[in-house]
Amino acid sequence: MEALLRQSKGVCPFLKKATPGALRTLSTTTYQSPGGGTISKLQHYARRCPVMNKGLAVQSAKINARNYSKAATSTGIVKSLLEKKLHTTAEKKANVDTKMYRAEQQPVPPSKAKQFVKSPEAEIARAGPKPAVPDTPKFDYEKFYTNELDKKHKDKSYRYFNNINRMAKEFPRAHMATKEEQVTVWCSNDYLGMGRNKHVLKTMHETLDMYGAGAGGTRNISGHNQHAVALEQSLADLHGKEAALVFSSCYVANDATLATLGSKLPDCVILSDSLNHASMIQGIRHSGAKKVVYKHNDLEDLENKLKSLDPAQPKIIAFESVYSMCGSVAPIEAVCDLADKYGAITFLDEVHAVGMYGPRGAGVAEHLDYHVWAQANRNPETQKGTVMDRIDIITGTLGKAYGCVGGYIAGSAKFVDAIRSLAPGFIFTTSLPPATMAGARTAIEYQARYQGDRRMQQVHTRELKDDLISRGIPVIPNPSHIVPLLVGDAELAKAASDMLLTDYQIYVQSINYPTVPRGEERLRITPTPGHHGELRADLVEALEGVWNRLNLKRIADWEAQGGFVGVGVQNADPVEPLWSDAQLEHAAELPKAAVDDVQEARIMPVAAAAA
């Protein structure tokens, strides 16, 4: 017995602490079992062991089953079972009473005891041959994947990734697989070049050195920190809202927010613009709410659909400010009017507008009341009733004009708290790294003080559009910073992109289905403050060469066909830029040096703490 105990001590934590004498004492001391009868204290403790508890339960079940037929002839068996509380939910532990309905046990002779020891060889012998593979065919997963990819190749919508490595010190230049293969990037969503801004990089370096690489968990479990609090406060202030909430991306923010609202609001209906981003479409789908799609920027169609709904029914109008693939801008104020009239709330995606529009970079909603938000002495009263104030929910990104990564929502305090408390996409996601949140906050505050970058971006956009149109290259008309060139064929769009990259060292990504409808394939160009006149001239000459070599349609060709997506439409009203000449002049007033001094003063405490 003692030899067996010594061997077991290395495995069982209970035995490590118990002496043989203590174990003998426990085995002879009785304990009243909750299921009836008495058991030894050693058996009582064994019940707590995940191994022994199962063993005792199996042994008890076998013994009780073997002896139940003998005891069933007794006249008091049913009453006795009820008194022992068997088969009730109150007590689920195995009954290990050694005296209950049990005939006197005879010790097993040593010769027979060996028969009960299962050897590996015996188990193998009893196992028998392995069953034959069923004749019925299994689903061919790899064939399924191949077929799906073949479809993408056949309709020319298969996506190829180019190895583009942007160089911070040579923006907007990048290299490909090797540093010698340098190209100029003309399609980045880092619209203002903030990914290499010296203030952003300095903040991120200092925060990284002090707080490390990752957040360490979700916001609920160790991932909530001062960087998240400060960033959300800056975002709430930027949009003039009570609160904001940061997500890992704006795709997640849109999906989680719409899915949560649509599923929680009773009998909710979500009215969605036909060109809304995939993240909004997915969020609506995940919500399970009724979806009503209205024609792109068509206020009459939107109102007709609102009229058909119960005035008391919860309704969300989901739309974007700048539609990134065509550059169109939503009639935000008019949508707010319809929302007020029919009892809906507004959900505005400002992803491609934050940092780009408005005197502080808050987006198109701010830009529409430029003079109000440009005032240094503005207050909640003067801001009340502005377009941005009327929007219920604003979503945005930290990964485009602000040059970092992440997404967010902004709105009333109760709305934000509800999403924080209910949305799985927020609750179960690891927080953004501290350095990322600190860098994003620096970018937001820098752009709120300095308008020079977005002003220069607008100037470069105007000049590029004018140069291309003068060459007959089909720019899809729009008032924003996006320069989409209509190709109208997936294979040709891919060929044009490849030719620019290989022959002219210029990277412009082709945009195919499902990002845009089939037949509307295009090249999407996004000038930045760093695309000066020499680079612009190189791009225009390269595009001229590509259009000639591939024989792509020009404006006159689309006009001969009656026009398409705004290109070649006769007697069309001219599209005026969202930024007026007066606003561009105002944006040039504050010198960059003054902003640099302010920004350096703000980040000095971070540097001192890191040191």
Side-chain angles (χ1 to χ4, degrees):
M1 175 67 178
E2 292 185 4
L4 179 61
L5 291 175
R6 282 195 298 270
Q7 293 174 1
S8 303
K9 278 191 175 182
V11 180
C12 179
F14 175 79
L15 293 177
K16 283 182 181 179
K17 300 178 181 179
T19 64
L23 293 174
R24 279 193 294 270
T25 302
L26 289 172
S27 66
T28 57
T29 307
T30 59
Y31 181 87
Q32 185 67 35
S33 172
T38 58
I39 58 174
S40 69
K41 278 198 172 182
L42 186 59
Q43 289 173 310
H44 172 66
Y45 287 125
R47 281 179 168 182
R48 303 177 184 176
C49 173
V51 177
M52 290 304 299
N53 182 44
K54 292 181 180 179
L56 289 171
V58 171
Q59 181 190 44
S60 177
K62 287 181 177 179
I63 294 172
N64 286 339
R66 188 167 55 245
N67 291 287
Y68 182 81
S69 60
K70 297 179 181 179
T73 55
S74 304
T75 56
I77 183 63
V78 176
K79 179 181 178 182
S80 177
L81 287 174
L82 292 174
E83 290 175 348
K84 297 301 184 182
K85 303 179 182 178
L86 298 178
H87 306 296
T88 67
T89 57
E91 179 60 47
K92 296 182 179 179
K93 295 181 179 180
N95 191 329
V96 293
D97 179 15
T98 57
K99 299 178 180 178
M100 181 178 170
Y101 305 118
R102 190 174 297 169
E104 188 174 344
Q105 300 294 310
Q106 299 296 327
V108 180
S111 59
K112 292 187 177 181
K114 294 181 181 180
Q115 300 174 10
F116 295 95
V117 179
K118 296 181 179 180
S119 67
E121 293 79 9
E123 286 295 308
I124 294 173
R126 280 194 292 271
K130 291 184 178 179
V133 178
D135 294 332
T136 55
K138 295 180 180 178
F139 186 83
D140 191 336
Y141 296 96
E142 292 299 319
K143 184 179 179 180
F144 169 79
Y145 306 144
T146 301
N147 291 339
E148 291 300 307
L149 292 172
D150 285 345
K151 294 176 187 176
K152 301 294 288 183
H153 283 290
K154 287 177 181 177
D155 67 9
K156 308 302 179 184
S157 65
Y158 182 80
R159 300 194 174 203
Y160 297 88
F161 292 165
N162 290 305
N163 188 347
I164 303 296
N165 305 277
R166 299 190 308 140
M167 297 181 288
K169 294 182 180 180
E170 299 179 47
F171 174 83
R173 298 283 287 169
H175 71 77
M176 298 187 68
T178 66
K179 292 183 180 179
E180 291 71 32
E181 299 177 271
Q182 294 200 3
V183 298
T184 302
V185 179
W186 274 94
C187 57
S188 172
N189 283 339
D190 185 1
Y191 296 133
L192 303 178
M194 288 302 290
R196 45 93 72 172
N197 178 274
K198 65 179 182 180
H199 302 295
V200 173
L201 294 181
K202 183 176 181 180
T203 300
M204 293 185 73
H205 280 301
E206 292 166 353
T207 307
L208 180 66
D209 290 340
M210 186 168 187
Y211 295 102
T218 64
R219 289 287 290 274
N220 187 53
I221 306 175
S222 83
H224 181 67
N225 51 52
Q226 62 185 8
H227 311 290
V229 173
L231 175 57
E232 288 171 349
Q233 185 60 58
S234 293
L235 289 167
D237 293 343
L238 177 69
H239 292 290
K241 301 299 182 184
E242 294 177 342
L245 194 66
V246 173
F247 291 76
S248 55
S249 73
C250 199
Y251 187 104
V252 176
N254 284 348
D255 184 5
T257 303
L258 286 170
T260 301
L261 284 179
S263 62
K264 295 296 182 181
L265 289 171
D267 198 23
C268 178
V269 176
I270 303 179
L271 297 101
S272 176
D273 187 286
S274 62
L275 293 189
N276 273 346
H277 189 263
S279 60
M280 301 168 75
I281 296 170
Q282 283 295 96
I284 297 169
R285 182 177 294 134
H286 292 158
S287 75
K290 180 181 178 181
K291 178 178 71 172
V292 176
V293 178
Y294 64 92
K295 297 175 185 177
H296 176 56
N297 281 351
D298 191 325
L299 294 171
E300 183 179 356
D301 188 44
L302 174 59
E303 182 165 19
N304 287 336
K305 288 177 167 57
L306 286 167
K307 284 180 181 177
S308 68
L309 301 173
D310 185 343
Q313 190 172 18
K315 296 173 283 290
I316 303 171
I317 303 175
F319 62 114
E320 301 179 39
S321 57
V322 175
Y323 290 84
S324 63
M325 293 301 135
C326 60
S328 61
V329 175
I332 302 175
E333 187 171 11
V335 173
C336 289
D337 292 340
L338 290 177
D340 292 343
K341 183 177 180 180
Y342 294 98
I345 60 173
T346 48
F347 179 104
L348 178 63
D349 178 318
E350 290 260 34
V351 163
H352 291 274
V354 289
M356 304 296 292
Y357 299 92
R360 302 174 308 125
V364 176
E366 180 190 54
H367 198 89
L368 295 175
D369 294 294
Y370 188 98
H371 64 287
V372 174
W373 294 96
Q375 295 174 5
N377 61 346
R378 68 184 181 281
N379 57 60
E381 283 302 313
T382 60
Q383 295 168 189
K384 192 172 182 179
T386 60
V387 175
M388 187 161 68
D389 178 64
R390 295 175 67 190
I391 294 291
D392 296 290
I393 302 165
I394 293 176
T395 72
T397 184
L398 308 172
K400 291 182 172 58
Y402 292 131
C404 296
V405 68
Y408 64 89
I409 59 173
S412 71
K414 289 185 178 179
F415 155 71
V416 170
D417 197 19
I419 299 301
R420 182 190 70 86
S421 303
L422 299 172
F426 173 80
I427 296 170
F428 300 105
T429 298
T430 299
S431 299
L432 289 173
T436 297
M437 290 192 281
R441 182 186 176 215
T442 298
I444 292 165
E445 295 185 351
Y446 179 86
Q447 287 299 330
R449 295 187 179 97
Y450 179 59
Q451 295 214 65
D453 290 335
R454 52 184 166 273
R455 175 188 174 277
M456 187 59 64
Q457 196 281 334
Q458 289 291 326
V459 170
H460 289 173
T461 298
R462 287 188 181 191
E463 292 173 344
L464 178 61
K465 286 181 177 180
D466 290 343
D467 287 350
L468 293 173
I469 291 172
S470 69
R471 301 278 189 125
I473 295 176
V475 178
I476 298 175
N478 68 79
S480 72
H481 60 284
I482 309 296
V483 186
L485 308 183
L486 180 62
V487 177
D489 180 274
E491 189 170 7
L492 288 175
K494 174 70 167 55
S497 175
D498 290 344
M499 190 176 290
L500 284 169
L501 189 61
T502 57
D503 296 354
Y504 299 94
Q505 291 73 55
I506 290 174
Y507 174 47
V508 177
Q509 184 62 44
S510 60
I511 308 298
N512 297 336
Y513 178 83
T515 306
V516 296
R518 289 188 174 91
E520 297 184 18
E521 292 81 5
R522 64 199 65 179
L523 300 180
R524 178 181 179 272
I525 298 172
T526 52
T528 72
H531 287 98
H532 49 72
E534 183 179 347
L535 292 177
R536 183 174 68 254
D538 291 342
L539 173 65
V540 173
E541 288 302 321
L543 288 169
E544 178 73 21
V546 169
W547 246 254
N548 286 333
R549 292 166 65 184
L550 294 177
N551 195 27
L552 301 178
K553 292 180 182 178
R554 294 179 181 262
I555 295 175
D557 299 315
W558 291 110
E559 184 177 355
Q561 295 181 9
F564 188 55
V565 293
V567 176
V569 178
Q570 294 184 354
N571 302 320
D573 294 331
V575 178
E576 296 297 328
L578 199 55
W579 277 86
S580 68
D581 293 340
Q583 290 167 346
L584 289 177
E585 289 179 12
H586 175 268
E589 292 178 1
L590 184 62
K592 187 173 185 294
V595 178
D596 286 343
D597 292 340
V598 172
Q599 203 68 27
E600 285 293 332
R602 194 195 72 76
I603 65 176
M604 282 301 292
V606 178

